[in-house]
Amino acid sequence: MSDLTRLEQHGPIAVIIIENPPVNAMSPGVPGGLIAHLRAAETDPQVKAIVLMGGGRGLIGGADIAMFGKPWPEGEPSLHTLIAALDACPKPTIAALQAHTLGGGLEIAMSCHYRILVEGGMVGQPEVNLGIPPGAGGTQRLPRLAGIAAAADMIISGKPVGAKKALELGIVDRVVSGDILPAALSFAEEMAEAGEPVAVSARAVEAPAPEFFVTLREQTAKRAKGMRAPLACLECVEASLLPFAEGSKKEREIFEACVASEEAAALRHMFFAERAATKIADIDSKTPSRTIKTVAVIGAGTMGGGIAIALLDAGYQVMLLERAQQALDAGCARIEKNYQDQVAKGRLKDVQKDARLAALKPVTDIEELAAADLVIEAVFEDLSVKREIFATLARVTKPGTILATNTSYIDVNEIATAAGDRVSDVLGMHFFSPANIMKLLEIVRADKASPEALTTALAVGKKLGKTPVVAGVCDGFIGNRIYNVYRREAIFLMEEGASPTQVDHALTNFGMALGPFAVMDLAGLDIAWAQRKATAHLRDPNKRYCTLPDRLCEMGRFGQKTGRGFYLYEPGNRKPVPDPNVEALAEDTAKESGITRREITDQEIVERCLYALVNESCALLHEGIAQRASDVDVVFCNGYGFPRQLGGPMFWAERIGFDTVLAKVTEFSQSHDFWEPSVGLKTLA
Ligand code: 3H9
């Protein structure tokens, strides 16, 4: 018997425990161990009821995702065998659930006769996020417990529900507080006396209104954004109207087809990539992180305000610093309005809003930051201003306070040296706008940053619900550096003959959430303009440069906020309208640069923009700015709208073949001076 599972005897109740840390996944050995204990309990005349639960943190994470796409060890019982055994068990079975019970975990729980869940626990079928429907009866049993509509919603969205909702929907029979084991034992004794238990598979499903699946299919197709899995989930749920065995067979067939798909491979890659991104190769994973309770944010503008909201939402005490009282008041008013809007939309309760605002302390005196455990500076991009702030922070904050800058492109090492002997506490925490919404957080590793400072920043990022990625210091770190070449290519293509609309459509058809011109208009053209002016002296005069974006800015066309940028915008409408004047401007700049405009295909647009991005990603991987190729994928999918179902630019390029990418990049380099195959790409090819 493997030590992945355990059997305990508590009087007439047998308790079977999964001991497979970190998440009690159904790895090889686990289902077999559980079946053996189940058989022992079934045949033991002393046992009246059987409890099944997760050991350690109590969660049951589902099937072992690392096993998908690999052969299951021969002779080893599978999750399906376990579920069939539970379904047929003659004695009452009770799943005692804590923390998260997800995917195959919930499928196991639903093949028990009864379920109890601790307050604060969650249950869900998140398989859709991995490009698959639940494959071990989840789509057949959940409708039998919660009804078709609620089950379809949970399975298609992949969103788990909390204890209160799970009870309301009938997914669990009881919600308990405190220690799960005594509650499970007393519930089991009760059920042992309650008469013959009925398996969930034997329950009936109530058919929904005839148009239910038609409407749901339309909505799901619209939201699926080219993904197959949400519709596959729907098909499986629809099959729950068939007799149980038939519906289960259909679920299995659809699951098998999905699990072998490219979409599922890409989404599995993203699952592991996001977890790998939080690990730093040369830092011991046991490095302790510092305790962070109070965080100060310097700068109450859009970025500082967004960061403050993210911190308040995560339960931190927040100090917001602005030197001018008026700017501070305006920043606080924006934060309050954000919370009021959330209350109005029903996303937040009044008491929660009040608690968050009570945790916000506006300050105008930097000396007050002595109380902070972490400071995040989010003032405008000016090296000398930032250096002055960090020199002051080094003096006023207590030793060990982490000093982070939210700069997007200034050299973090140069900022860090201003902190003198506190240099090891300095690093970058680069948020993406809107900072309270966007998942991506780049943790910028300054050369002298200590391991504790880095692991603490990563822990804070996780607590904020972000997806943190560690990046080295360079212009633009990982995300903006590779986005810059992608954007450069889009602008050159426009100069050569493509319209902003054509470029944007070609890339959204590829799967990008927004086209590059729509993104530039949304973000505001003035920020990149200021950066170009500040670094103009560093530009190689022999390399191609397109003046069109500068000219738009000189005309006051800063994008959506001024109603005009690469596109035109009607007041109060974000829909981009093509502008013939921009087309004329592109003709002018092309003429001045001696470029003959031509027809450009959508394929050339996709290849030029994305291969430029891959080429640069390989370069920064080679330079060590990104620790691993998958970090680039995490950055681009979470911060720049790359389609997750393609697994990020590096996963996508690997599927195409780095040699194919290199051949195309080499071909481009023969006709464009700004293209050069990077050493990193050559190495990977
Ligand atoms: C499924 O069940 C299909 C079935 O319907 C049918 C099959 C036939 N497998 O997230 P964390 C690892 S599909 C393997 O940082 P947390 C993870 O990689 C499955 N490994 O912890 C990480 O490893 P490392 C459906 C897994 O406490 C470590 O555990 N289930 C799995 O913040 C810690 O992970 C899901 O989609 C797994 N299932 O969050 C649930 N899960 O330390 C996916 C985690 O080496 N899991 N790992 O980097 C989660 O959502 C979260 O892990 C959970 C815990 C909420 C459970």
Side-chain angles (χ1 to χ4, degrees):
M1 182 86 47
S2 76
D3 51 9
L4 299 170
T5 59
R6 193 153 61 78
L7 177 65
E8 280 178 11
Q9 207 67 45
H10 291 261
I13 312 298
V15 180
I16 303 175
I17 303 164
I18 312 164
E19 293 286 7
N20 185 24
V23 300
N24 292 322
M26 292 296 116
S27 315
V30 177
L34 296 176
I35 292 169
H37 295 314
L38 188 68
R39 296 287 179 238
E42 272 174 9
T43 49
D44 183 344
Q46 306 290 319
V47 172
K48 286 204 214 147
I50 303 159
V51 168
L52 180 74
M53 59 187 280
R57 292 193 289 160
L59 39 74
I60 313 180
D64 185 342
I65 303 167
M67 287 304 293
F68 289 150
K70 291 186 192 152
W72 189 256
E74 214 170 312
E76 193 63 58
S78 69
L79 177 56
H80 291 101
T81 325
L82 167 65
I83 282 179
L86 282 166
D87 199 64
C89 182
K91 292 183 181 176
T93 47
I94 296 99
L97 311 176
Q98 313 166 71
H100 286 79
T101 302
L102 300 173
L106 181 56
E107 289 173 309
I108 292 170
M110 291 191 297
S111 52
C112 292
H113 298 110
Y114 309 102
R115 287 146 296 283
I116 64 166
L117 175 60
V118 286
E119 268 173 5
M122 311 273 276
V123 297
Q125 298 283 180
E127 287 89 339
V128 70
N129 300 319
L130 296 164
I132 51 173
T139 65
Q140 306 304 299
R141 287 190 177 85
L142 195 54
R144 284 173 163 79
L145 288 173
I148 289 262
D153 182 40
M154 280 177 69
I155 293 170
I156 295 170
S157 73
K159 289 198 184 115
V161 294
K164 194 166 157 241
K165 186 86 184 164
L167 184 65
E168 218 174 274
L169 292 173
I171 301 171
V172 300
D173 303 286
R174 196 168 289 176
V175 171
V176 299
S177 53
D179 201 355
I180 186 92
L181 185 59
L185 293 175
S186 90
F187 184 78
E189 297 226 26
E190 224 182 284
M191 291 308 115
E193 304 303 323
E196 199 168 326
V198 180
V200 175
S201 59
R203 296 196 194 184
V205 189
E206 200 179 319
E211 67 284 0
F212 175 81
F213 280 109
V214 178
T215 316
L216 187 62
R217 187 165 279 110
E218 273 169 24
Q219 288 169 350
T220 307
K222 224 181 262 172
R223 289 191 200 130
K225 295 186 185 141
M227 286 204 224
R228 157 95 177 98
L231 286 158
C233 287
L234 186 149
E235 271 177 68
C236 292
V237 174
E238 201 168 8
S240 69
L241 293 169
L242 300 169
F244 185 80
E246 259 180 74
S248 301
K249 186 166 167 273
K250 182 126 201 224
E251 179 201 77
R252 187 82 177 255
E253 284 163 10
I254 298 172
F255 172 85
E256 295 294 345
C258 287
V259 84
S261 68
E262 275 295 298
E263 176 179 311
L267 292 170
R268 280 198 298 274
H269 162 76
M270 286 307 295
F271 178 85
F272 288 114
E274 283 170 354
R275 280 151 183 90
T278 61
K279 300 183 172 72
I280 308 177
D282 59 335
I283 291 184
D284 184 350
S285 61
K286 294 191 183 69
T287 305
S289 45
R290 295 177 194 158
T291 306
I292 306 291
K293 289 196 173 132
T294 301
V295 185
V297 179
I298 306 183
T302 311
M303 206 61 197
I307 297 171
I309 293 170
L311 292 160
L312 291 167
D313 289 350
Y316 288 104
Q317 294 293 315
V318 177
M319 299 167 97
L320 185 63
L321 175 89
E322 250 318 329
R323 249 184 275 177
Q325 187 67 49
Q326 212 181 354
L328 184 61
D329 293 344
C332 291
R334 274 194 298 271
I335 293 174
E336 197 170 339
K337 174 153 187 331
N338 174 290
Y339 282 129
Q340 271 159 358
D341 289 349
Q342 287 195 53
V343 171
K345 285 179 190 153
R347 290 190 195 142
L348 201 69
K349 295 197 180 100
D350 250 317
V351 283
Q352 290 172 305
K353 178 198 81 172
D354 294 344
R356 289 179 202 186
L357 288 172
L360 176 68
K361 183 178 177 198
V363 294
T364 50
D365 183 358
I366 200 164
E367 301 284 335
E368 290 208 46
L369 302 198
D373 305 308
L374 162 68
V375 181
I376 303 173
E377 165 276 310
V379 305
F380 56 93
E381 296 283 53
D382 183 309
L383 177 61
S384 56
V385 172
K386 287 185 194 271
R387 279 183 61 85
E388 198 184 315
I389 289 174
F390 277 76
T392 312
L393 287 175
R395 178 178 59 76
V396 302
T397 59
K398 54 187 190 241
T401 294
I402 294 167
L403 310 175
T405 171
N406 175 55
T407 183
S408 314
Y409 58 85
I410 293 181
D411 187 332
V412 179
N413 288 326
E414 290 222 35
I415 298 174
T417 53
D421 61 4
R422 294 285 304 281
V423 69
S424 64
D425 289 327
V426 182
L427 45 74
M429 287 179 82
H430 180 214
F431 290 79
F432 289 74
S433 189
N436 51 319
I437 309 269
M438 293 290 287
K439 282 268 178 209
L440 181 61
L441 173 66
E442 284 180 321
I443 304 292
V444 186
R445 183 177 189 175
D447 290 350
K448 299 267 165 56
S450 71
E452 294 80 26
L454 287 161
T455 51
T456 308
L458 281 165
V460 171
K462 277 200 211 167
K463 192 166 167 198
L464 295 181
K466 304 286 178 203
T467 305
V469 181
V470 179
V473 177
C474 72
D475 190 9
F477 316 128
I478 298 177
N480 283 343
R481 173 158 159 197
I482 55 180
Y483 196 78
N484 278 345
V485 291
Y486 167 83
R487 187 173 53 186
R488 173 204 74 191
E489 216 50 39
I491 291 168
F492 285 169
L493 282 157
M494 178 179 59
E495 196 172 38
E496 288 166 38
S499 68
T501 311
Q502 190 199 353
V503 174
D504 280 358
H505 279 174
L507 289 159
T508 49
N509 286 342
F510 169 80
M512 296 297 292
L514 276 179
F517 291 104
V519 171
M520 284 186 263
D521 273 0
L522 179 68
L525 304 183
D526 48 333
I527 300 158
W529 186 37
Q531 191 195 350
R532 283 196 300 277
K533 284 193 285 190
T535 54
H537 60 288
L538 302 173
R539 196 178 308 132
D540 180 349
N542 297 316
K543 291 249 167 174
R544 180 172 163 192
Y545 181 78
C546 176
T547 55
L548 195 147
D550 294 345
R551 291 199 199 176
L552 290 178
C553 290
E554 282 155 16
M555 294 155 86
R557 300 180 64 130
F558 294 156
Q560 280 193 22
K561 60 184 164 191
T562 54
R564 297 179 315 156
F566 285 101
Y567 295 104
L568 296 173
Y569 300 88
E570 301 286 344
N573 192 338
R574 289 168 175 268
K575 189 171 178 280
V577 178
D579 183 356
N581 291 322
V582 172
E583 199 62 25
L585 211 53
E587 279 168 21
D588 288 351
T589 63
K591 205 179 281 168
E592 285 162 23
S593 308
I595 292 165
T596 311
R597 280 165 64 86
R598 61 189 167 91
E599 283 279 318
I600 292 179
T601 63
D602 286 3
Q603 189 188 342
E604 180 177 344
I605 293 171
V606 170
E607 286 181 349
R608 289 248 316 254
C609 291
L610 292 170
Y611 289 172
L613 192 149
V614 171
N615 189 35
E616 193 69 13
S617 299
C618 294
L620 59 80
L621 192 60
H622 185 73
E623 292 164 26
I625 299 298
Q627 292 185 84
R628 42 184 97 72
S630 62
D631 287 0
V632 173
D633 295 334
V634 175
V635 166
F636 233 65
C637 287
N638 286 295
Y640 297 83
F642 192 93
R644 207 175 159 82
Q645 68 270 30
L646 294 182
M650 293 299 273
F651 183 84
W652 173 77
E654 195 178 356
R655 291 308 228 228
I656 293 171
F658 283 109
D659 50 348
T660 307
V661 178
L662 177 62
K664 207 74 196 171
V665 169
T666 309
E667 184 190 314
F668 292 146
S669 71
Q670 278 145 16
S671 44
H672 302 284
D673 66 358
F674 48 90
W675 276 89
E676 198 179 328
S678 64
V679 181
L681 176 59
K682 287 182 193 158
T683 314
L684 279 172

